Amino acid sequence: MKNSYRILGTSLLTLGLVGCFEVPDQDHMVTAQGIIPGVNCQQPPLVALASTALPREFGVTVWNLYKGQRKNWREGLDEYAKSQDLVLLQESATHPDMLEWLKAGEFQWQQLQAFTQGGVSFGVMTVAKTPQAFVCGVRSPEPLLRIPKSGLVSLYPLQGDPDGVLVVNLHAVNFELGMATFREQLNDLTALIHRHQGPVILAGDFNTWSDKREFWLNKLVGELGLQEAIPVPDLRRTAFGRPLDHLYYRNLDLVEVSSPATDASDHNPIIARFAAQAITP
């Protein structure tokens, strides 16, 4: 309980310093093509025929970008994300420099808008070199602050795999004294994992700063049959001695994983490579 009050107090101070937020009445997906209504995650995904697909071995970066507040955030993206096949960002901001970076990299991308400030949209963003076959989003208001966190569920075609890779990118609810909203958010975002037969990636900033949150998350990923890619050395950002960022996977082979130290954000990224498993007839 003491940890909850401490984190809440720090957050309220931060919000008071940065100014006013606007929370949209409805979920919106922000894309290179413009703003569209968010797609409900209850409908099952189907892999559409696609001219491009993720390669059999592909790279993933998971990173809380701290709203691009550090001066060298773009250099950090160039170093840790530009050459990757999939980039899962939390606290992304659609300011002009970010949009320019996405365009220069010829990326496909979607952001589920959590809130706006000064005409800039903030939320989780999934970036890829490959068009997605399906995407949906979940926005979950913080119980104490009412400023939402957001999550995206995307399905990408994978070479040689008829099911494709289901990718869940989330920024978990943080500021609540219990865990009801935290559990509801993760259950909503992982519902399609139960039904998906192919490879899965579940990653993001889970805000696992307490024993109870960590225990419940471990139970959930165990039920989903997921493994965690843990960097060695493990330089992920921690709170009260626990890592906040996680990368889980299923039906993939982990080739390598690292968490390099950087001052381009207040989090260090998780960088991994995965290989598709051979499909037995």
Side-chain angles (χ1 to χ4, degrees):
M1 185 70 71
K2 184 185 294 184
N3 290 350
S4 299
Y5 283 120
R6 180 178 171 184
I7 291 176
L8 175 59
T10 301
S11 175
L12 288 173
L13 176 61
T14 301
L15 292 177
L17 291 174
V18 298
C20 298
F21 294 84
E22 296 180 8
V23 179
D25 293 333
Q26 298 179 340
D27 292 351
H28 292 101
M29 201 85 69
V30 184
T31 72
Q33 291 74 39
I35 298 177
I36 60 175
V39 181
N40 191 291
C41 282
Q42 296 305 311
Q43 66 183 90
L46 297 172
V47 176
L49 294 175
S51 57
T52 59
L54 289 174
R56 298 283 296 169
E57 183 174 316
F58 58 91
V60 179
T61 292
V62 182
W63 199 7
N64 183 318
L65 205 53
Y66 194 44
K67 304 181 182 71
Q69 295 183 76
R70 297 285 173 85
K71 292 182 178 179
N72 57 336
W73 66 268
R74 183 160 180 167
E75 288 82 355
L77 280 177
D78 284 341
E79 183 172 1
Y80 302 123
K82 188 175 182 179
S83 63
Q84 296 290 73
D85 300 287
L86 282 172
V87 182
L88 281 61
L89 300 175
Q90 303 82 49
E91 294 195 19
S92 71
T94 58
H95 44 64
D97 284 347
M98 182 64 180
L99 297 177
E100 182 183 320
W101 184 84
L102 292 165
K103 184 177 181 180
E106 298 183 344
F107 287 111
Q108 303 285 327
W109 60 273
Q110 300 83 38
Q111 180 201 61
L112 187 65
Q113 188 180 84
F115 59 89
T116 63
Q117 184 182 27
V120 176
S121 175
F122 296 86
V124 300
M125 179 184 290
T126 301
V127 180
K129 299 288 180 68
T130 301
Q132 82 285 354
F134 169 89
V135 62
C136 67
V138 171
R139 192 174 57 154
S140 304
E142 293 276 6
L144 297 178
L145 302 182
R146 309 310 300 170
I147 296 174
K149 293 293 196 296
S150 61
L152 281 171
V153 182
S154 308
L155 183 67
Y156 291 93
L158 176 65
Q159 289 179 4
D161 192 304
D163 297 305
V165 182
L166 189 68
V167 178
V168 181
N169 175 13
L170 72 94
H171 192 187
V173 165
N174 197 9
F175 308 111
E176 66 174 335
L177 302 182
M179 292 201 308
T181 308
F182 175 78
R183 292 196 301 264
E184 181 181 7
Q185 180 193 26
L186 265 70
N187 282 330
D188 288 345
L189 284 166
T190 59
L192 291 177
I193 294 179
H194 292 280
R195 288 182 272 172
H196 186 65
Q197 300 299 310
V200 171
I201 290 174
L202 168 65
D205 179 353
F206 288 75
N207 280 314
T208 42
W209 44 262
S210 72
D211 286 337
K212 289 183 178 180
R213 282 177 171 238
E214 195 171 60
F215 178 83
W216 189 86
L217 177 61
N218 288 338
K219 182 175 181 293
L220 174 66
V221 298
E223 293 170 351
L224 294 171
L226 302 174
Q227 297 174 264
E228 185 168 11
I230 301 177
V232 178
D234 192 347
L235 301 181
R236 291 174 293 172
R237 183 185 175 181
T238 61
F240 310 114
R242 302 172 186 85
L244 301 177
D245 306 300
H246 301 274
L247 170 56
Y248 300 97
Y249 64 98
R250 189 179 76 191
N251 294 348
L252 292 166
D253 292 324
L254 178 63
V255 178
E256 60 185 13
V257 60
S258 63
S259 180
T262 177
D263 61 358
S265 173
D266 64 340
H267 287 239
N268 292 329
I270 303 173
I271 302 172
R273 289 197 68 79
F274 292 100
Q277 296 177 343
I279 299 175
T280 55

